[in-house]
């Protein structure tokens, strides 16, 4: 045991992840993974490094122990993180050292290195200069398949994130009122996202009336009116690093008959996609399960995005629930199911749950009602 008590035997889990990444890199013909601060680095070591202009880089080589290269002024933070506690070798560099030459020395003889997908272009190019003739590939090809299959500890972390965002939704009717602006309601929601156990607020969408027809509308100064349907799509990241993301639909007072008709179709579409989830089916078929219901209801043209996205250390990651993705679902994969129907200029609706593919079916991590939540207009 360590003093990092959020995940039991965390050290062992991080060591196992690095071992798998080494094996997978080797099989893919990659001599070393070079990972700058971000979710791949955090996934393999537990270290939430600051993304700075100074180079921090985890070097994972096929036949050797991993090394974490850090600026010396970041060394205390690295040592205090799970990476330090696990005994990972940490090599510091001083302000006037060339960290790119240091990394190049650690991977001398390599023919191919893989860089994390979100590395800054500045670092990519400087590594290219430091390693002339060495082929650069994307580390995501190796790490994303590992991250996609969540461990029991990760599922527990996602379950906690889901419960926390459910508690926020439970209180939305207290804040959502005719006469208030989206921004005012959003401020109350953001405060609650933190209060219910998230470390950060990642996004707050309050799309009232016609604003609901723009899927990524965030907040505006529009005053909420009686009769408005309101899309509330919110998420944050817990201290353990795992994300929540959940959409529920509210209406202030009496909704229009036309809204209710399309909402009924949406509700059936979302349920059909969730029911379809089990090991062995493809991501594309989950998308189709939702899309077919919406198309049969006559709203096919108004469902303008994919059905969902994987979630974990990032809000959007593999697997994507989209037409053409033949990725087969396996136990431990976690993703959103979030079909929507958007009537431009009038209103929009979306229902979103995070679900996990289990050994024999599906577990929904968001448990609030899918029914339209009616809040009084007065
Ligand atoms: Zn969402
Ligand atoms: Zn989402």
């Amino acid at each position: 045991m360590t003093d990092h008590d959020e995940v039991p035997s965390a050290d062992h889990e991080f060591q196992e992840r690095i071992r798998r990444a080494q094996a997978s890199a080797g099989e893919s013909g990659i001599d070393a993974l070079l990972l700058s601060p971000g979710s791949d680095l955090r996934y393999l070591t537990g270290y939430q490094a600051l993304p700075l202009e100074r180079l921090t880089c985890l070097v994972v080589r096929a036949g050797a122990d991993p090394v974490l290269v850090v600026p010396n002024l970041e060394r205390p933070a690295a040592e205090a993180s799970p990476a330090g506690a696990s005994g990972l070798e940490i090599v510091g560099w001083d302000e006037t050292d060339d960290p790119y030459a240091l990394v190049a020395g650690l991977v001398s003889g390599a023919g191919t290195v893989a860089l994390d997908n979100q590395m800054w272009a500045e670092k990519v190019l400087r590594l290219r200069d430091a390693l002339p003739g060495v082929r650069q590939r994307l580390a995501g090809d190796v790490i994303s398949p590992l991250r996609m299959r969540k461990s029991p500890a990760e599922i527990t972390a996602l379950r906690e994130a889901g419960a926390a965002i459910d508690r926020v939704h439970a209180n939305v009717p207290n804040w959502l009122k005719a006469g208030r602006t989206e921004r005012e309601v959003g401020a109350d929601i953001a405060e609650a996202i933190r209060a219910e156990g998230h470390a950060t607020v990642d996004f707050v969408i309050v799309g009232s009336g016609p604003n609901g027809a723009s899927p990524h509308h965030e907040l505006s100064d529009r005053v909420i009116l009686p009769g408005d349907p309101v899309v509330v799509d919110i998420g944050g990241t817990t201290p353990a690093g795992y994300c929540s993301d959940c959409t529920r639909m509210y209406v202030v007072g009496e909704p229009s008959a036309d809204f209710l008709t399309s909402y009924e179709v949406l509700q059936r579409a979302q349920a059909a996609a969730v029911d379809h989830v089990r090991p062995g089916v493809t991501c594309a078929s989950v998308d189709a399960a939702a899309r077919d219901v919406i198309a049969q209801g006559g709203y096919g043209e108004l469902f303008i995005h994919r059905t969902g996205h994987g979630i974990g250390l990032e809000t959007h990651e593999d697997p994507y629930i989209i037409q053409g993705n033949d990725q087969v679902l396996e136990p431990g994969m976690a993703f959103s199911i979030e079909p929507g129907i958007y009537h431009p200029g009038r209103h929009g609706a979306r229902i979103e749950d995070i679900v996990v593919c289990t050994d024999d079916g599906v577990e929904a991590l968001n448990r609030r009602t899918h029914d339209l939540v009616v809040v009084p207009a007065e």
Side-chain angles (χ1 to χ4, degrees):
M1 287 298 289
T2 73
D3 51 2
H4 298 277
D5 54 1
E6 76 275 18
V7 183
S9 66
D11 284 359
H12 176 78
E13 180 148 342
F14 291 129
Q15 283 160 10
E16 182 60 19
R17 289 177 192 175
I18 287 182
R19 194 194 60 72
R20 287 208 199 107
Q22 283 171 316
S24 180
E27 286 160 18
S28 305
I30 292 165
D31 299 304
L33 301 169
L34 303 180
L35 307 176
S36 61
S39 44
D40 285 345
L41 175 56
R42 188 169 188 182
Y43 177 73
L44 292 183
T45 66
Y47 178 33
Q48 188 183 10
L50 289 174
L52 301 170
E53 76 290 357
R54 294 185 179 94
L55 184 70
T56 288
C57 185
L58 178 69
V59 180
V60 180
R61 298 160 294 184
D65 287 339
V67 177
L68 181 61
V69 172
V70 298
N72 273 326
L73 78 170
E74 294 295 317
R75 191 178 182 122
E79 281 173 349
S81 79
S86 72
L88 178 73
E89 186 185 350
I90 298 176
V91 174
W93 57 274
D94 287 321
E95 289 286 67
T96 55
D97 292 344
D98 177 356
Y100 296 91
L102 176 55
V103 169
L106 289 169
V107 299
S108 64
T112 302
V113 296
L115 317 178
D116 71 86
N117 291 35
Q118 294 161 4
M119 186 181 280
W120 296 3
E122 179 191 11
K123 292 176 176 145
V124 174
L125 297 181
R126 291 186 71 174
L127 283 168
R128 193 162 77 181
D129 289 345
L131 293 161
V134 175
R135 186 171 172 224
Q136 292 185 336
R137 286 183 47 189
L138 291 174
D141 296 346
V142 166
I143 299 179
S144 170
L146 306 180
R147 283 177 50 186
M148 197 158 61
R149 297 163 173 89
K150 266 74 181 174
S151 69
E154 290 185 285
I155 300 298
T156 298
L158 282 170
R159 213 178 266 132
E160 286 168 4
I165 210 69
D166 280 0
R167 292 193 295 273
V168 179
H169 269 296
N171 279 308
V172 167
N174 297 332
W175 306 312
L176 192 60
K177 310 257 186 254
R180 299 193 80 200
T181 66
E182 293 173 356
R183 204 177 304 284
E184 287 166 343
V185 175
D188 289 332
I189 291 174
E191 196 176 306
I193 290 175
R194 279 201 191 81
E196 293 296 351
H198 295 86
T200 58
V201 179
D202 296 337
F203 55 92
V204 177
I205 294 174
V206 179
S208 66
N211 288 342
S214 167
H216 279 175
H217 171 83
E218 292 216 331
L219 299 170
S220 79
D221 293 319
R222 182 179 183 277
V223 173
I224 296 164
L225 301 174
D228 277 349
V230 185
V231 179
V232 177
D233 183 356
I234 51 180
T237 302
T238 65
Y242 286 80
C243 299
S244 64
D245 182 4
C246 180
T247 312
R248 288 295 183 264
M249 286 301 305
Y250 300 83
V251 65
V252 181
E254 277 293 305
S256 66
D258 137 74
F259 178 80
L260 288 175
T261 306
S262 83
Y263 191 73
E264 185 273 327
V265 172
L266 179 65
Q267 221 174 333
R268 280 194 285 117
Q270 203 267 350
V274 173
D275 288 346
H276 185 74
V277 173
R278 61 188 175 278
V281 306
T282 65
C283 291
S285 73
V286 177
D287 180 83
R291 203 164 298 279
D292 289 351
V293 173
I294 292 176
Q296 281 157 19
Y299 301 107
E301 300 291 304
L302 303 181
F303 178 17
I304 54 176
H305 54 69
R306 65 192 177 211
T307 292
H309 53 82
I311 190 167
L313 290 169
E314 289 179 89
T315 310
H316 289 187
E317 59 182 48
D318 283 322
Y320 291 96
I321 308 302
I322 188 169
Q323 220 165 9
N325 186 359
D326 294 328
Q327 172 70 52
V328 171
L329 293 183
E330 295 174 29
M333 290 185 178
F335 47 89
S336 70
I337 302 273
E338 51 175 311
I341 298 177
Y342 307 96
H343 297 263
R346 284 153 65 199
H347 49 69
R350 181 166 62 256
I351 302 170
E352 175 178 27
D353 290 324
I354 302 305
V355 303
V356 179
C357 182
T358 62
D359 288 338
D360 55 3
V362 62
E363 175 187 350
L365 304 189
N366 299 110
R367 305 293 181 84
R368 304 282 312 161
T369 181
H370 293 160
D371 291 343
L372 193 56
V373 176
V374 181
V375 303
E378 293 305 311

